[in-house]
Amino acid sequence: MLRIVLGSTLTAAQTADPGLQRLITQGRGSLAVLLGDGACRYRLLGKDLHWDRVLIAFDGERALGFASFRYARRGPFALNWPPFRREFGVLGGSWRFAGFCLSEWREWHYPFLLYGLRVVKAARNHGVGSALVQACCAEALKHGVGAIDLEVPLGNTRAQQLYRKHGFVPRRRRWLAPLLGMRRALGSGTRPSQSATP
Ligand SMILES: CC(C)(COP(=O)(O)OP(=O)(O)OC[C@H]1O[C@@H](n2cnc3c(N)ncnc32)[C@H](O)[C@@H]1OP(=O)(O)O)[C@@H](O)C(=O)NCCC(=O)NCCS
């Protein structure tokens, strides 16, 4: 049975789970030059996640995927310099950390941003991604925002199709990055459901 929970409702033992931290720090492949591979990203960002900005899909105790969001200028990742210094040294860490801060600040104008979405490979095509998108829309409605934005790589047609299915429409291509902006308006009559068949 699929259930989707906000990370801030998890126990300390659950949020300390390296497997869950690794899952949530995946993605953002376009920032590989700044954040390195998945293992490096986990070391940089995994220990200080903002759990109130992450929705996690569980089947029993098993995490199947997550959706993270940015609201009120707070996203899933803390901007902490020490892990960058430890990982890359002062010089390499400085420009990577500055680049990461810039990429985070670039998105601050969105009132509510669907920041990241990922489903583990074994659980794909069973509606988990759809349920996470719907849960994220419900979260946005809870906060009273009028629209939810996201940015998706131009080549990621699978994700684009998923977002279109849930009412997101393309807005514009981002300058200097191979990203497509998409938006879904959240009218007062919108009632996102959370159906899934894992
Ligand atoms: C994109 C992703 C989250 C979809 O998760 P999922 O659990 O497989 O999604 P669902 O099962 O809910 O699929 C819903 C819709 O996605 C689209 N979709 C799923 N698999 C697809 C495929 N192989 N090809 C094209 N579209 C596909 C379809 O529109 C599908 O609707 P349908 O079932 O009516 O055809 C998942 O593939 C993933 O984690 N990909 C890697 C990370 C990623 O790309 N994240 C998005 C970053 S912006």
Side-chain angles (χ1 to χ4, degrees):
M1 164 101 179
L2 186 77
R3 70 193 163 92
I4 295 186
V5 298
L6 194 60
S8 49
T9 65
L10 298 176
T11 63
Q14 284 174 309
T15 57
D17 175 9
L20 189 54
Q21 293 171 356
R22 276 180 204 281
L23 174 67
I24 293 164
T25 51
Q26 298 307 300
R28 296 256 139 175
S30 55
L31 295 184
V33 66
L34 300 174
L35 303 178
D37 62 10
C40 184
R41 226 164 292 180
Y42 161 67
R43 291 194 294 275
L44 293 174
L45 307 168
K47 296 291 169 212
D48 197 7
L49 292 167
H50 293 158
W51 290 98
D52 57 344
R53 295 296 187 259
V54 188
L55 292 155
I56 303 135
F58 284 102
D59 179 17
E61 289 305 303
R62 196 163 66 100
L64 300 182
F66 76 91
S68 56
F69 56 94
R70 180 193 295 287
Y71 168 66
R73 301 195 168 184
R74 181 177 161 92
F77 300 136
L79 294 177
N80 280 340
W81 151 244
F84 282 77
R85 187 193 57 220
R86 273 198 300 276
E87 189 71 29
F88 302 111
V90 172
L91 197 63
S94 298
W95 71 261
R96 285 182 170 89
F97 182 65
F100 182 51
C101 289
L102 281 175
S103 95
E104 292 284 287
W105 290 333
R106 186 183 63 76
E107 294 169 340
W108 273 8
H109 61 282
Y110 292 120
F112 193 105
L113 180 75
L114 200 171
Y115 181 98
L117 175 72
R118 178 163 286 261
V119 173
V120 298
K121 279 198 178 126
R124 288 181 190 169
N125 299 317
H126 289 88
V128 178
S130 290
L132 283 163
V133 170
Q134 293 288 34
C136 205
C137 291
E139 194 64 32
L141 270 179
K142 207 169 81 186
H143 290 292
V145 296
I148 175 166
D149 287 279
L150 60 85
E151 291 181 353
V152 54
L154 285 173
N156 193 344
T157 49
R158 169 187 284 211
Q160 285 173 30
Q161 202 167 320
L162 167 68
Y163 296 136
R164 280 177 204 271
K165 187 178 145 190
H166 292 284
F168 286 83
V169 292
R171 294 189 71 216
R172 59 177 175 209
R173 232 198 103 156
R174 299 291 318 177
W175 284 92
L176 301 174
L179 295 169
L180 177 71
M182 299 182 86
R183 168 173 282 190
R184 173 176 162 178
L186 297 170
S188 52
T190 315
R191 289 181 193 280
S193 65
Q194 291 192 16
S195 60
T197 54

